[in-house]
Amino acid sequence: MNTQPTALDACLASTASIHIKLARLRQLADDHFSHNPDAIHWGQVGDLGRVEQALDDLLEIFDGQAR
């Protein structure tokens, strides 16, 4: 009996993990990443820019176009 995970098993596990992380990211975004609107600084803007770029990179990998 083969107990080695298949590529499908690994793909499904990764997909489930990604869904959990996307849900957490959505929660953080809905809470404005815990930033106090009266105390926003350029460092936070830079962090969000890096996150946006990383998301664009992921979209490029999976559907061939950044948004």
Side-chain angles (χ1 to χ4, degrees):
M1 181 165 98
N2 186 0
T3 60
Q4 297 265 349
T6 66
L8 177 59
D9 293 334
C11 182
L12 292 173
S14 289
T15 299
S17 178
I18 289 167
H19 279 283
I20 291 167
K21 291 173 185 179
L22 287 172
R24 181 66 184 131
L25 187 59
R26 170 65 72 185
Q27 289 173 340
L28 289 167
D30 288 347
D31 188 37
H32 306 287
F33 300 99
S34 299
H35 294 156
N36 176 349
D38 297 324
I40 295 291
H41 56 77
W42 286 107
Q44 293 163 326
V45 174
D47 290 343
L48 291 175
R50 288 197 337 256
V51 169
E52 188 174 12
Q53 180 60 57
L55 292 170
D56 285 344
D57 293 345
L58 291 170
L59 288 170
E60 178 69 29
I61 290 168
F62 291 107
D63 75 0
Q65 50 188 313
R67 302 222 156 93

